[in-house]
Amino acid sequence: MLLRHTPTEVKEREGLTINPAKTCQPIGAMYAALGIHGCLPHSHGSQGCCSYHRSTLTRHYKEPVMASTSSFTEGASVFGGQANLLASIETIFSVYDPEVIAVHSTCLSETIGDDLQQITKKASDDGKIPDGKYVIYASTPSFVGSHITGYANMVTGMAEQFAVSTGEKTEQINIVAGWMEPSDMREIKSIASLMDAKIVLFPDTSDVLDAPQTGKHEFYPKGGVTIDQLRSTGDSKCSLALGCVSAEPAAIALDKKCKVPFETLDMPIGLSATDRFIMALSKAAGKPVPASITAERGRVVDVMADMEQYFYGKKVALFGDPDQIMPLTEFLLDLGMRPTHIVSGTPGLRFEKRMKEILERAPYANFRNGAQADMFLLHQWIKNEPVDLLIGNTYGKYIARDENIPFVRFGFPILDRVGHSYFPSVGYSGAMRLIEKILGVLMDQQDRVALEEKFELVM
């Protein structure tokens, strides 16, 4: 009973977070930067910050994550880190030769007040950025927001600092990816290819954090959106932002800078959200939905109908990133389940507004986001109203163990399993995988607790 001291009485807290359901901004910025081909993320702060962010991403993806740091010491912590960053930029280009350095700030550099825009301009003026190379930046202090905020800020930086408008629009469609796995990004590109839609997906961590083993180490894997593609986004005819929290800010920036109109969609997780994405992409591209995608949808609906008796009425608690758990909640309702307790550590009014819309079908549900929407609160809610299933990242395993709840790992980080970066959760194939995972743990629990005379071979 690792969490046996969690009380059942829920008290409102203002200045205390216990077991937060989020992590810090720079991790999100580092992950987003890895979605640019030939990019080296740079942490403008102490070595410890960079090490933690790299190790968390490495443990989740089971891949080496490359990043550099300004290596603040006592002097930089007092007088500012400009000299450190200027020296870092010069060294990185001469030793590691990236196409892009993506600088993100940390608590320390933000508290001091380092101006990344001014320092980057000075590096350019001083000739420390070689011709044809780039340095972009994003403000990502850990003391506000979450890893999703940091991801959104870095992706917005890509749009603001790379996109160029020539005044001649193309038939290209920008798809701004919210925080999703490399496998999800590959699935989005696959769907677009099947529909013969010309897209630029950014960022794109496929073939970067799920690159194949070739026997040869590549410091910069072949994947990632290219600089030329990012520059071309300013001439695209429209953008589809997959996530109102992590993707929409970049689409807004593109619209302001280059007059690229956009539509914000839920991340295509589950049946309904994928339906909306497919139809929006079909409309934007002016292409019909191919029979292969329609057939794939039909298989999902068939499984949902066949297995409905195992889903119906089951209570679910879930936690994680807002752009993922909003469509996931909708999918659970489509399956006939009862999302009962929902928590996201990422602050923002968009989550509250969208969840109210989704939960019109489930007025009984508890949901909260922000600093005090933490694992401690979720556990308290579960103690007061038990559930049949828990969905979330690896940190949920302690609650699942103490309360004997079937547990589906979903989201970030997943530190004790593999597969999440290789099998998609988006699209119809992702919906099928989620159904299989949910069914698997529910049936395993049914087998585990069944009386001997009720232990069945066929379920």
Side-chain angles (χ1 to χ4, degrees):
M1 298 292 286
L2 297 169
L3 302 178
R4 62 187 178 277
H5 298 300
T6 302
T8 56
E9 182 183 359
V10 178
K11 294 184 177 181
E12 290 298 319
R13 293 174 274 126
E14 293 183 2
L16 177 65
T17 300
I18 307 171
N19 292 340
K22 63 170 187 171
T23 187
C24 59
Q25 281 206 53
I27 287 183
M30 187 178 287
Y31 177 59
L34 291 166
I36 303 175
H37 178 69
C39 180
L40 186 67
H42 182 85
S43 178
H44 187 50
S46 67
Q47 289 174 302
C49 289
C50 186
S51 296
Y52 167 65
H53 305 147
R54 287 180 63 193
S55 66
T56 301
L57 290 169
T58 295
R59 288 169 178 169
H60 177 81
Y61 291 107
K62 309 299 187 288
E63 293 285 340
V65 171
M66 304 300 176
S68 55
T69 174
S70 294
S71 299
F72 278 26
T73 57
E74 291 85 348
S77 301
V78 174
F79 300 109
Q82 174 172 296
N84 293 53
L85 182 52
L86 291 173
S88 296
I89 289 171
E90 189 172 24
T91 302
I92 290 165
F93 279 125
S94 64
V95 176
Y96 300 107
D97 193 32
E99 298 296 318
V100 188
I101 299 174
V103 183
H104 59 264
S105 60
T106 60
C107 292
L108 189 54
S109 56
E110 287 281 347
T111 302
I112 296 166
D114 278 353
D115 185 339
L116 294 184
Q117 183 178 13
Q118 175 267 319
I119 298 173
T120 301
K121 184 177 184 303
K122 180 171 176 55
S124 179
D125 293 342
D126 291 351
K128 296 182 184 297
I129 304 175
D131 291 342
K133 305 288 186 177
Y134 300 87
V135 177
I136 64 171
Y137 52 85
S139 176
T140 56
S142 297
F143 45 74
V144 294
S146 72
H147 57 293
I148 296 301
T149 317
Y151 178 94
N153 289 346
M154 181 56 79
V155 178
T156 301
M158 296 176 196
E160 290 176 338
Q161 297 165 58
F162 275 126
V164 176
S165 175
T166 65
E168 295 184 9
K169 292 297 182 184
T170 67
E171 290 302 304
Q172 179 176 277
I173 301 164
N174 302 325
I175 298 184
V176 187
W179 182 304
M180 58 177 70
E181 298 289 340
S183 52
D184 295 324
M185 295 177 181
R186 180 178 287 107
E187 181 67 13
I188 295 295
K189 291 189 293 183
S190 176
I191 290 171
S193 177
L194 287 171
M195 296 182 67
D196 196 26
K198 183 182 179 183
I199 68 163
V200 169
L201 176 74
F202 74 97
D204 181 7
T205 59
S206 62
D207 287 318
V208 177
L209 289 169
D210 62 348
Q213 175 59 264
T214 63
K216 180 183 177 182
H217 173 65
E218 294 184 37
F219 203 89
Y220 304 109
K222 69 175 184 178
V225 61
T226 66
I227 294 169
D228 287 343
Q229 287 175 319
L230 283 171
R231 291 174 66 83
S232 75
T233 57
D235 285 332
S236 296
K237 65 178 180 179
C238 67
S239 299
L240 299 179
L242 303 185
C244 63
V245 180
S246 57
E248 186 181 75
I252 292 173
L254 268 174
D255 188 26
K256 287 182 177 179
K257 182 180 181 181
C258 301
K259 303 297 185 232
V260 181
F262 70 93
E263 180 180 357
T264 301
L265 302 166
D266 288 327
M267 199 174 289
I269 294 173
L271 185 68
S272 297
T274 301
D275 286 349
R276 292 192 293 272
F277 168 67
I278 295 292
M279 297 313 297
L281 183 58
S282 173
K283 179 180 178 181
K287 303 285 186 178
V289 179
S292 58
I293 291 180
T294 303
E296 192 173 32
R297 183 187 189 276
R299 286 189 286 272
V300 175
V301 173
D302 184 54
V303 173
M304 289 172 64
D306 289 346
M307 299 292 108
E308 190 264 350
Q309 70 269 29
Y310 296 104
F311 295 125
Y312 184 76
K314 292 288 192 299
K315 292 183 178 181
V316 186
L318 60 155
F319 66 96
D321 303 333
D323 287 331
Q324 294 182 352
I325 62 175
M326 287 187 286
L328 179 58
T329 299
E330 183 181 40
F331 188 40
L332 294 173
L333 289 167
D334 290 344
L335 290 171
M337 305 183 84
R338 292 171 58 88
T340 305
H341 310 306
I342 305 158
V343 160
S344 175
T346 299
L349 295 177
R350 296 296 297 276
F351 175 83
E352 183 177 353
K353 180 182 177 182
R354 181 70 181 116
M355 287 303 295
K356 284 181 178 178
E357 294 171 355
I358 293 170
L359 292 174
E360 287 180 358
R361 297 158 60 187
Y364 49 79
N366 299 312
F367 75 93
R368 185 176 297 181
N369 72 311
Q372 277 68 58
D374 49 32
M375 304 293 291
F376 184 81
L377 175 66
L378 181 67
H379 194 188
Q380 289 184 302
W381 281 350
I382 290 171
K383 280 181 172 292
N384 283 287
E385 185 176 356
V387 295
D388 303 296
L389 177 67
L390 177 64
I391 302 177
N393 64 47
T394 288
Y395 288 95
K397 68 190 292 183
Y398 300 103
I399 296 175
R401 178 185 172 94
D402 279 5
E403 303 300 330
N404 191 27
I405 308 170
F407 180 39
V408 170
R409 287 160 176 80
F410 178 84
F412 177 87
I414 297 175
L415 309 174
D416 60 342
R417 295 292 189 275
V418 296
H420 44 275
S421 59
Y422 298 104
F423 301 102
S425 295
V426 303
Y428 297 125
S429 62
M432 188 76 80
R433 181 170 183 259
L434 284 170
I435 289 172
E436 187 270 335
K437 289 178 71 175
I438 292 170
L439 272 174
V441 297
L442 290 177
M443 290 180 166
D444 285 346
Q445 179 78 343
Q446 185 174 321
D447 277 341
R448 192 160 43 244
V449 301
L451 298 173
E452 189 168 329
E453 62 271 18
K454 293 186 178 294
F455 189 74
E456 297 290 347
L457 177 64
V458 179
M459 297 173 69

